[in-house]
Amino acid sequence: MTTHLITFNAPAEAPADLVAWVEKVAELTLPDQVHWCDGSLEERDRLYAEMVASGTFTKLNPEKRPGCYLARSAPSDVARVESRTFICSEHPDDAGPTNNWASPAEMRETLKGVFAGSMSGRTMFVIPFSMGPLGGDISRLGVEITDSPYVVVNMRIMTRMGTPALKLIAETGDWVPAVHSVGYPLVDADGTTRDDLAWPCSDDKYITHFPETREIWSYGSGYGGNALLGKKCYALRIASVLARDEGWLAEHMLVLKITGPDGRVYHLTAAFPSACGKTNLAMLRPTIPGWRVETVGDDIAWMRPGPDGRLYAINPEAGFFGVAPFTSLKTNPTALLALDHDTIFTNVALTDDGDVWWEGMTDETPAHLIDWTGKDWTPGSPTPAAHPNSRFTVRADQASSIADDWENPAGVPIDVILFGGRRATNIPLISESYDWEHGVFVGATVASEQTAAAEGTVGALRRDPFAMLPFCGYNMADYWAHWLEVGKTLGDKAPRIFQVNWFRKDTDGSYLWPGFGENSRPIEWALRRVNGEVAAIDAISGRIPAVEDLNLEGLDLSADQVAKLFAFDNDAWSAEADVTAEYFAQFGEHAPAELYAELDKLHARIEAHKG
Ligand code: O2Y
Ligand code: MN
């Protein structure tokens, strides 16, 4: 392939710097041809047909799932690979102790080696895309180069992709370059050819971010967050750096619109570590009468102070890349119903009548399936039919819960920020932070508990500060300092910060709180706090509801269970505070003094509670 041909292929709208970059990447990766994606339906349908012909996609029964396809990945390529994810800042300190750091110069050499000829025999796709509504003030642009048609069709669902984004790139000149290769060339340097695979990938993987030059290079995986570079790589790791430098927030948070019985509208963002029911919360069906919850976003929020001084959020994505297993009419009917057409499924099981199935989808298990590896499967098989990290990719507006303001380019004003975690002990069902600094302390100490704890102790905590542990593109403690700064800008216009815990356990190991739609009850209390309708009680973790202010009507909960949901054990809290001090210590001087001050205040509250 000659450079001349690549330039010739470029659409008229493509600016010179973009064309030059595409040429440079093509000279390195040596694709057979270059395709500039326009985002059209024709382009999508052609790629679908080509992937069906090549065996990458199975077309599902159009009577049951019109417009739906199933992809099966290589068994070695089924999830994000944190161990191969790197932040390549000039100084290791700028990546911090929670990221894998690599020297940018050394990583560039490594990447030059692995990307050399990596696309030979393949088509290189150029995907111009917008994160956030096209042209929106909070939105940003990017271009992903990839040799994976699977990535193209997923990016088409997950972002605003194609010619309109390219036009904005030409107008603004402000875009993030992102290069992706599955790392499986069809022609070697010595001319040896090899057949393609249904899911090509490499055992050698590099998911790399260059925060100073704002670049992404990803090699070796075709899966999810490793390959759909608009999502975790751009919208979180690179965007968190942009946000730090420009005074905004790029967060691993869902966004909800909530309407109360009196018609008042609120917006809420929420950060949860994985396996805490984030998608279910994003599509919550409240059990309390008169309340309506709608989805603005299920995973990522970009938030900026607006002209009125309040914090405004957009969902930078256009689709959901959700976990399939245990999505059912019981757990999340909204998600399940959204998947009945125009959905890409990855690594779920195939039924005999050309439909999909996964564990937890139905009460009855089909007698026969083709599992996610393509093998026959029966209920007696020793492995799950669907991979536990199997996924659906679906446009956000296919969810009936989508809010009318989900694409407002100016964003939605945020009233409440929630932090959650999977905690068997200590953390009550809900508590309100005393102020912004305390809220940042709560976000910084978010954790899930690994093991059951003996009385007066706390189980092993897996910290996931702000649910950003694998997604912060710079030093986590500097990120906390940035949150403190944003709080100063917002002043008394800042959203109120709450912590929730749906997973508190009774002494017999059973969950105390029913969860799912009932989670609307503590959220209602938070919104009534925002409205100034209810008082609260000062407690160790924050301000908690008086029992009579929490709407528990119709719930089968004893007074003892309610008391346990808000119980504080001094010894267990002291143990947790000690562990928090050790946790902060790993960040050395980067840990903000304000968070140590919050730790002192926590100690004081524990002492006062003893009295
Ligand atoms: O395993 C992957 O590649 C996907 S990870 C993911 C996908 C959608 C939303 N959130 C996540 C996550 O890991 O937080
Ligand atoms: Mn996520």
Side-chain angles (χ1 to χ4, degrees):
M1 159 115 260
T2 64
T3 301
H4 171 76
L5 187 55
I6 298 162
T7 310
F8 179 74
N9 277 349
E13 296 88 350
D17 63 333
L18 172 56
V19 176
W21 174 69
V22 172
E23 282 175 7
K24 215 168 140 201
V25 177
E27 275 160 18
L28 174 66
T29 57
L30 302 176
D32 269 13
Q33 51 186 328
V34 175
H35 175 79
W36 293 72
C37 298
D38 60 15
S40 65
L41 276 178
E42 294 71 29
E43 177 181 80
R44 179 199 72 177
D45 291 342
R46 185 174 54 75
L47 291 173
Y48 281 168
E50 284 173 14
M51 282 189 279
V52 170
S54 71
T56 298
F57 268 3
T58 301
K59 189 174 166 67
L60 296 174
N61 183 340
E63 311 239 300
K64 295 191 166 274
R65 303 258 169 200
C68 293
Y69 295 83
L70 165 64
R72 297 191 189 104
S73 79
S76 61
D77 194 23
V78 293
R80 290 187 297 101
V81 277
E82 290 177 16
S83 62
R84 303 302 301 161
T85 299
F86 299 93
I87 302 297
C88 308
S89 48
E90 289 296 337
H91 299 288
D93 241 18
D94 289 333
T98 57
N99 279 313
N100 296 319
W101 175 80
S103 137
E106 282 172 28
M107 185 56 85
R108 278 186 201 288
E109 278 310 300
T110 305
L111 293 174
K112 223 192 267 175
V114 295
F115 272 95
S118 72
M119 297 189 187
S120 54
R122 297 193 179 281
T123 298
M124 172 202 266
F125 299 93
V126 183
I127 312 172
F129 63 93
S130 172
M131 298 309 294
L134 286 158
D137 282 349
I138 311 180
S139 305
R140 298 301 272 246
L141 300 159
V143 181
E144 176 165 354
I145 286 178
T146 180
D147 55 7
S148 162
Y150 170 89
V151 165
V152 176
V153 294
N154 275 272
M155 283 289 284
R156 189 177 183 280
I157 295 174
M158 296 303 296
T159 71
R160 283 88 175 172
M161 175 269 256
T163 304
L166 181 62
K167 286 184 179 156
L168 286 170
I169 285 167
E171 261 169 56
T172 64
D174 189 6
W175 51 281
V176 166
V179 185
H180 168 252
S181 173
V182 294
Y184 196 87
L186 300 177
V187 188
D188 279 346
D190 64 4
T192 315
T193 58
R194 68 165 70 88
D195 289 340
D196 204 356
L197 302 173
W199 188 279
C201 61
S202 165
D203 287 342
D204 210 12
K205 293 180 175 37
Y206 295 91
I207 323 299
T208 69
H209 309 75
F210 294 80
E212 280 107 4
T213 49
R214 295 157 183 197
E215 287 165 77
I216 302 160
W217 288 77
S218 171
Y219 176 87
S221 167
Y223 201 87
N226 303 328
L228 311 178
L229 301 184
K231 193 172 179 59
K232 305 298 188 180
C233 297
Y234 185 168
L236 289 176
R237 298 194 192 96
I238 292 296
S240 62
V241 173
L242 301 174
R244 175 199 62 191
D245 295 348
E246 298 169 6
W248 51 283
L249 298 169
E251 300 304 321
H252 190 203
M253 290 180 175
L254 61 83
V255 186
L256 296 181
K257 174 182 179 183
I258 305 179
T259 310
D262 58 0
R264 183 166 168 193
V265 170
Y266 312 81
H267 293 92
L268 167 156
T269 63
F272 287 83
S274 53
C276 287
K278 190 169 161 188
T279 308
N280 293 346
L281 181 59
M283 297 172 196
L284 180 87
R285 292 194 174 185
T287 50
I288 43 175
W291 289 83
R292 180 157 185 220
V293 175
E294 293 163 281
T295 313
V296 176
D298 75 325
D299 195 37
I300 298 176
W302 284 359
M303 301 190 278
R304 257 182 208 277
D308 60 358
R310 296 182 69 193
L311 191 63
Y312 283 76
I314 63 159
N315 169 10
E317 300 190 278
F320 306 137
F321 186 64
V323 177
F326 300 98
T327 304
S328 72
L329 284 179
K330 280 188 199 138
T331 60
N332 192 338
T334 305
L336 192 73
L337 296 172
L339 310 180
D340 65 2
H341 68 99
D342 295 297
T343 303
I344 298 170
F345 296 92
T346 305
N347 287 346
V348 302
L350 180 67
T351 65
D352 291 347
D353 56 0
D355 200 357
V356 287
W357 191 84
W358 47 77
E359 278 68 21
M361 183 195 211
T362 52
D363 287 339
E364 264 186 39
T365 303
H368 176 263
L369 295 162
I370 303 296
D371 75 7
W372 71 276
T373 68
K375 297 203 182 77
D376 286 308
W377 186 96
T378 62
S381 296
T383 48
H387 189 278
N389 193 36
S390 54
R391 297 275 166 173
F392 53 78
T393 320
V394 66
R395 281 190 59 85
D397 57 11
Q398 281 188 211
S400 60
S401 62
I402 201 73
D404 54 0
D405 54 6
W406 86 281
E407 295 198 279
N408 185 340
V412 295
I414 299 303
D415 300 285
V416 164
I417 296 173
L418 286 189
F419 291 114
R422 182 176 277 271
R423 294 295 309 267
T425 66
N426 281 13
I427 307 297
L429 178 64
I430 186 160
S431 60
E432 181 183 356
S433 299
Y434 287 106
D435 51 29
W436 184 269
E437 285 77 14
H438 181 225
V440 174
F441 174 84
V442 167
T445 53
V446 162
S448 286
E449 218 160 324
Q450 304 293 291
T451 51
E455 219 173 304
T457 68
V458 63
L461 295 181
R462 184 187 184 270
R463 298 285 181 184
D464 189 355
F466 287 74
M468 283 288 279
L469 191 69
F471 304 124
C472 186
Y474 61 104
N475 188 310
M476 181 60 77
D478 294 344
Y479 162 89
W480 300 336
H482 176 58
W483 262 78
L484 292 166
E485 279 308 307
V486 171
K488 284 183 201 147
T489 307
L490 294 168
D492 62 3
K493 302 262 176 62
R496 305 267 281 270
I497 301 179
F498 295 78
Q499 183 173 34
V500 292
N501 177 21
W502 320 136
F503 303 98
R504 187 96 180 233
K505 285 189 174 170
D506 207 339
T507 38
D508 63 359
S510 61
Y511 288 111
L512 285 160
W513 181 248
F516 298 102
E518 309 299 1
N519 294 338
S520 52
R521 297 169 187 268
I523 290 174
E524 179 201 36
W525 180 76
L527 299 177
R528 292 179 67 208
R529 284 287 299 159
V530 168
N531 262 352
E533 287 173 30
V534 277
I537 300 164
D538 287 2
I540 289 181
S541 64
R543 298 193 170 112
I544 60 170
V547 175
E548 61 275 15
D549 288 331
L550 195 58
N551 182 350
L552 299 174
E553 214 178 306
L555 269 191
D556 187 19
L557 272 185
S558 68
D560 178 53
Q561 285 169 315
V562 176
K564 283 175 175 168
L565 279 165
F566 291 97
F568 293 93
D569 174 325
N570 293 324
D571 292 340
W573 268 94
S574 289
E576 178 151 349
D578 290 345
V579 178
T580 299
E582 287 166 26
Y583 160 68
F584 283 166
Q586 74 176 299
F587 296 96
E589 289 185 352
H590 286 260
E594 289 91 333
L595 296 195
Y596 279 110
E598 288 301 325
L599 190 54
D600 290 342
K601 288 186 203 166
L602 173 62
H603 278 296
R605 289 196 297 274
I606 297 168
E607 284 309 309
H609 191 250
K610 282 180 189 164

